[in-house]
Amino acid sequence: MNAPHRKIMHMVLIITATWYWWCLRVGVVADPEINLLNQGCSTYNVSNVSGFYTNLNATFSELRAQLNNGSNKYFATAQQVSGSSRAYAMVQCRNYLSTADCIACFTAAESQIRNCSAANGARVIYDGCFLRYESAIFYDKIIMPGSEGICENQTASQATYFTTAVEALLLDLQVATPKINGFFAASRKEIAVGGGTVYGVAQCVETASETDCLDCLKLAYTNAQICLPRKDGRAVDAGCFLRYSDTAFFADNQTTNISPFLGNGNSSKKKAIIGGVVGGVGALLIIALLVWFSLSRRPKAAFRGDILGATELRGPVNYKLKDLKSATKNFSEKNKLGEGGFGDVYKGTLKNGKIVAVKKLDIGKSSRAKADFESEVKLISNVHHRNLIRLLGCCSKGPEQLLVYEYMANSSLDKFLFGERRGSLNWKQRNEIILGTARGLAYLHEEFHVCIIHRDIKTSNILLDDDFQPKIADFGLARLLPEDQSHLSTRFAGTLGYTAPEYAIHGQLSEKVDTYSFGVVVLEILCGRKSSELKIQDEGEYLLSRVWNLHESGKHLDLVDDTLDPNDYTVEEVKKIIEIALMCTQASAIQRPSMSEIVVLLKSKGSTEHPPPAKPAYVDSDKKIRGDTSTSTASSKSNATASFSQFSGR
Ligand SMILES: *[C@@H]1O[C@H](CO)[C@@H](O)[C@H](O)[C@H]1NC(C)=O
Ligand SMILES: *[C@@H]1O[C@H](CO)[C@@H](O)[C@H](O)[C@H]1NC(C)=O
Ligand SMILES: *[C@@H]1O[C@H](CO)[C@@H](O)[C@H](O)[C@H]1NC(C)=O
Ligand SMILES: *[C@@H]1O[C@H](CO)[C@@H](O)[C@H](O)[C@H]1NC(C)=O
Ligand SMILES: *[C@@H]1O[C@H](CO)[C@@H](O)[C@H](O)[C@H]1NC(C)=O
Ligand SMILES: *[C@@H]1O[C@H](CO)[C@@H](O)[C@H](O)[C@H]1NC(C)=O
Ligand SMILES: *[C@@H]1O[C@H](CO)[C@@H](O)[C@H](O)[C@H]1NC(C)=O
């Protein structure tokens, strides 16, 4: 190429790129953003297909009418409950779209969701909008199975600075969005070095509460974080959406001023100084080239690989043994966090500075255990819920099997109830811990696509995060023990105080085994006493039988931990919690409520309208320990078979 020719090429490049740049910034390029991020169809079909379609079609028409009705309408729900086939539907567009783009995105979603044919529930999530329908009301459902991060392939240059900027941006969005009317925010942040900018949006469904929105975004944040330092990442869930990118994907004038919602005063934010300042053809050319490249790989194509597998199980990250050794200072005693039921746990600092907990699994050397390890770990690493400890990855190359978990600075609940920090949890925090633990278990039992029975729920397996929210640890691991002896093994004997009688004695396993242990944990949280303390001080009673007797004689308040401030709770609240705990610890497994029923009971105001609980197991007229399983016919649902999953991954 000769010199004048090259000059012309440069000019063309600059002019075109600048044009795109300008279009993008002022939002002229119409784009309904219909690249599919996630689709799910329920595994259950409706019974009356034509009746259901009539209703579903009517709800879709109404959603469309609502989106069309004046500007600034980005969210709508509609339902048809006439006839036998109820239909509930919800649509939400990202607020930076124009009304026309929003409608276009909805149209695409409506046509895409029809390929779930007769399914009684389905969802379609695009960058620009999402659409969901169900045959039962779902508007307050926030977390869905398979909530996840969806990542672009390419890694950002200046990975460290990029990551820092994105994390700061997403945290700001996570804090601000729940406080903003309409639950939407779009923002951006300068990268400290290299002069780039990162862009992000966060959004919650408008039927969520402020707390639900925050909870959902917290989980979304950890999901999106997994994408870093890649250039573009999203986290999709039933109740919220979070996205970051190194490219502006919303117009400049759509940026939300989030600083008033960040709370911590004036966190002196550097204002965006883009363009204008930079002079000279050289600088312009660099910008033009950057824009050129980012545009040329912009939507769809780059995502296809990730989208297809979007809701399928992903394999866990494989860590190198030598990295984990150096992270934990060769598993030094100093780094030891504790001795869990399945092996010792060590604190580790990975090369990128992330702090993790590394568990050295002690599951025996049977070949079956090894064979099960990989499939089990793959399963567990796909469990994402705010009340369940996140498994980040594993390492099975060396002599031992190692699991890498997120690290919880506050350690476990038993320390706060009976240990060195006894008395530091107030009434509200204890209630949140009870509810969160119930939610985590409900997810494991009923919402994850395989029913996982924990089998070892106890206070030392409930970890607390920085906000004292509970996260259940060690789920899924019990399945690695040989089937015939897990309930007899010494690790379980150690926690007999928590084990349901039908399981401890006959090995009958069902989800209700966890319900029982949960009930015991609730009582421990309320009373501040260990169930395994065989005698309560001088009263010579077991915890459960003491609770039952005081419940019968109406002296509920006598049970409450005396480190709690009596002004913080009422008799009704205490009574409600004790009744729920007693329902959980009934001798008959069938009579114990499911964990999702417990969540509803815990959230309900006032007293429960449930039949009064029957006497718990282990309480006998002559107060001997006895497992009465004569009335218990543990449900035969195998822990390995999937059921109740709302959606099958697509
Ligand atoms: C944002 O800018 C575009 C292009 O100038 C304009 O059409 C649109 O009305 C603006 N939106 C708002 C909310 O000001
Ligand atoms: C649901 O209906 C679809 C199409 O009508 C059919 O292919 C599928 O097998 C049905 N699924 C069940 C679980 O009945
Ligand atoms: C299916 O629903 C339609 C409309 O609601 C109703 O007319 C019809 O009788 C229903 N069919 C059956 C088999 O229930
Ligand atoms: C619902 O709408 C779809 C798509 O527009 C159409 O194919 C179908 O016939 C409609 N069904 C009913 C029962 O109205
Ligand atoms: C459109 O908006 C008006 C007032 O804002 C409201 O009364 C009407 O019900 C809305 N129509 C639909 C279809 O939502
Ligand atoms: C629905 O469409 C998606 C994406 O086009 C495809 O992956 C999926 O297999 C389709 N499902 C059915 C039931 O046709
Ligand atoms: C993304 O990753 C996949 C699989 O690793 C690879 O085949 C594909 O070429 C990558 N795409 C881009 C745009 O880098």
Side-chain angles (χ1 to χ4, degrees):
M1 244 190 266
N2 54 24
H5 202 154
R6 208 178 307 145
K7 241 185 189 162
I8 290 168
M9 286 296 291
H10 280 172
M11 289 296 288
V12 169
L13 188 63
I14 290 167
I15 290 168
T16 325
T18 319
W19 182 75
Y20 266 107
W21 177 244
W22 179 81
C23 288
L24 204 66
R25 285 174 51 91
V26 298
V28 173
V29 178
D31 184 359
E33 300 202 311
I34 46 177
N35 47 321
L36 185 58
L37 298 175
N38 179 298
Q39 174 168 19
C41 307
S42 165
T43 45
Y44 299 100
N45 284 342
V46 291
S47 45
N48 183 345
V49 175
S50 73
F52 184 69
Y53 276 178
T54 308
N55 282 346
L56 189 62
N57 286 5
T59 61
F60 285 170
S61 307
E62 196 190 325
L63 292 182
R64 183 180 299 275
Q66 287 188 42
L67 292 180
N68 254 323
N69 192 7
S71 59
N72 299 326
K73 186 85 172 122
Y74 295 99
F75 177 81
T77 59
Q79 56 271 325
Q80 283 292 326
V81 294
S82 62
S84 56
S85 319
R86 293 159 175 240
Y88 298 83
M90 177 189 281
V91 64
Q92 184 167 40
C93 291
R94 314 304 164 211
N95 294 31
Y96 56 79
L97 292 190
S98 66
T99 298
D101 284 344
C102 174
I103 303 272
C105 190
F106 170 70
T107 304
E110 186 185 342
S111 122
Q112 177 69 33
I113 213 166
R114 299 227 184 241
N115 91 346
C116 289
S117 59
N120 70 352
R123 60 161 188 269
V124 169
I125 306 177
Y126 292 118
D127 266 338
C129 67
F130 84 87
L131 175 65
R132 179 175 176 189
Y133 76 78
E134 296 284 335
S135 57
I137 194 147
F138 65 92
Y139 300 155
D140 63 344
K141 288 268 190 308
I142 301 303
I143 310 293
M144 68 183 183
S147 69
E148 58 174 359
I150 296 167
C151 311
E152 152 101 62
N153 269 358
Q154 293 179 4
T155 301
S157 55
Q158 301 275 19
T160 315
Y161 296 113
F162 180 78
T163 299
T164 309
V166 169
E167 286 181 341
L169 173 67
L170 295 185
L171 280 176
D172 281 357
L173 285 169
Q174 176 201 297
V175 170
T177 309
K179 298 180 193 155
I180 294 173
N181 202 6
F183 291 151
F184 173 85
S187 186
R188 62 179 182 217
K189 227 180 191 76
E190 308 303 301
I191 301 173
V193 169
T197 305
V198 292
Y199 302 83
V201 300
Q203 186 176 39
C204 292
V205 301
E206 291 181 19
T207 42
S209 67
E210 185 177 327
T211 357
D212 283 345
C213 177
L214 181 62
D215 283 347
C216 190
L217 288 175
K218 276 184 181 170
L219 180 61
Y221 173 77
T222 57
N223 281 330
Q225 217 183 5
I226 288 171
C227 293
L228 287 167
R230 278 169 289 178
K231 288 182 169 183
D232 204 312
R234 292 103 160 132
V236 299
D237 210 330
C240 64
F241 177 79
L242 187 63
R243 178 179 176 188
Y244 74 83
S245 177
D246 67 335
T247 310
F249 56 97
F250 50 87
D252 221 17
N253 62 4
Q254 297 296 332
T255 309
T256 318
N257 178 15
I258 58 171
S259 45
F261 302 99
L262 294 178
N264 50 357
N266 38 341
S267 51
S268 66
K269 258 186 241 72
K270 284 170 227 126
K271 266 263 126 256
I273 315 162
I274 313 172
V277 181
V278 251
V281 177
L284 242 176
L285 186 63
I286 291 167
I287 293 174
L289 278 171
L290 279 176
V291 173
W292 182 269
F293 279 119
S294 57
L295 281 173
S296 62
R297 61 120 190 97
R298 211 176 151 247
K300 297 145 198 139
F303 279 98
R304 190 129 297 152
D306 279 340
I307 295 156
L308 291 177
T311 53
E312 278 156 26
L313 294 189
R314 282 151 187 248
V317 175
N318 272 308
Y319 289 92
K320 291 203 182 86
L321 182 60
K322 92 173 159 28
D323 290 346
L324 294 182
K325 272 189 172 162
S326 81
T328 56
K329 306 214 173 77
N330 205 11
F331 299 104
S332 76
E333 275 300 305
K334 259 188 161 173
N335 281 39
K336 195 156 160 180
L337 293 169
E339 295 166 18
F342 300 90
D344 296 344
V345 187
Y346 298 84
K347 181 173 175 176
T349 310
L350 299 177
K351 273 195 207 124
N352 63 6
K354 195 178 175 88
I355 301 180
V356 295
V358 183
K359 183 180 281 266
K360 245 184 182 174
L361 266 196
D362 173 20
I363 51 168
K365 299 278 179 268
S366 86
S367 56
R368 193 179 153 247
K370 284 224 157 128
D372 286 350
F373 181 75
E374 292 204 355
S375 66
E376 194 61 26
V377 165
K378 183 171 183 186
L379 186 75
I380 304 171
S381 67
N382 278 281
V383 174
H384 299 174
H385 187 276
R386 65 185 181 281
N387 298 117
L388 299 169
I389 285 285
R390 185 81 175 255
L391 177 66
L392 302 170
C394 67
C395 168
S396 55
K397 285 287 178 312
E400 277 126 345
Q401 286 145 333
L402 302 170
L403 294 176
V404 181
Y405 287 98
E406 62 179 330
Y407 172 76
M408 287 295 118
N410 264 336
S411 145
S412 54
L413 179 56
D414 56 336
K415 304 254 173 11
F416 288 83
L417 293 177
F418 328 116
E420 65 249 36
R421 300 181 69 177
R422 173 171 156 77
S424 54
L425 290 174
N426 64 30
W427 177 255
K428 183 163 171 281
Q429 286 167 328
R430 291 185 199 215
N431 272 291
E432 284 175 359
I433 290 168
I434 291 173
L435 180 59
T437 307
R439 283 180 159 151
L441 282 173
Y443 181 84
L444 280 181
H445 291 172
E446 298 167 35
E447 288 169 57
F448 190 56
H449 62 109
V450 171
C451 168
I452 296 180
I453 303 176
H454 189 294
R455 303 194 220 180
D456 200 15
I457 289 295
K458 54 184 175 184
T459 49
S460 58
N461 267 340
I462 298 171
L463 308 187
L464 299 178
D465 72 7
D466 296 341
D467 300 326
F468 297 100
Q469 295 299 316
K471 286 185 183 255
I472 301 170
D474 273 3
F475 54 85
L477 299 185
R479 308 206 321 169
L480 293 172
L481 296 172
E483 199 61 40
D484 50 335
Q485 56 151 284
S486 58
H487 67 286
L488 296 173
S489 98
T490 48
R491 338 172 202 265
F492 282 89
T495 48
L496 199 60
Y498 295 95
T499 310
E502 77 276 7
Y503 183 50
I505 294 164
H506 301 287
Q508 291 170 341
L509 182 63
S510 72
E511 317 83 283
K512 299 295 177 66
V513 162
D514 288 346
T515 302
Y516 182 95
S517 311
F518 171 78
V520 176
V521 166
V522 169
L523 292 175
E524 291 186 329
I525 293 175
L526 186 86
C527 309
R529 291 187 191 285
K530 273 188 190 150
S531 68
S532 57
E533 273 174 22
L534 280 187
K535 286 187 176 177
I536 305 265
Q537 288 170 347
D538 45 345
E539 284 146 80
E541 281 179 305
Y542 308 113
L543 179 61
L544 263 182
S545 91
R546 176 174 151 83
V547 171
W548 176 255
N549 291 336
L550 289 175
H551 164 71
E552 288 246 283
S553 52
K555 293 187 195 154
H556 297 93
L557 286 181
D558 288 5
L559 283 169
V560 180
D561 188 345
D562 51 24
T563 65
L564 282 168
D565 180 348
N567 298 320
D568 280 354
Y569 53 86
T570 64
V571 185
E572 286 72 34
E573 288 172 319
V574 171
K575 200 168 160 222
K576 179 176 132 184
I577 290 184
I578 290 175
E579 278 178 358
I580 291 174
L582 285 172
M583 276 183 224
C584 295
T585 49
Q586 293 176 102
S588 156
I590 272 188
Q591 279 175 20
R592 293 175 208 147
S594 71
M595 290 311 302
S596 59
E597 285 169 334
I598 293 165
V599 170
V600 173
L601 290 174
L602 287 169
K603 285 169 83 175
S604 67
K605 300 267 183 296
S607 74
T608 60
E609 282 176 26
H610 241 253
K615 236 181 194 183
Y618 291 138
V619 178
D620 208 63
S621 52
D622 54 358
K623 302 206 173 77
K624 267 195 305 214
I625 287 197
R626 189 172 74 89
D628 180 6
T629 54
S630 53
T631 49
S632 104
T633 33
S635 90
S636 59
K637 182 169 157 191
S638 153
N639 60 332
T641 53
S643 73
F644 206 92
S645 118
Q646 279 199 312
F647 291 109
S648 69
R650 275 291 140 91

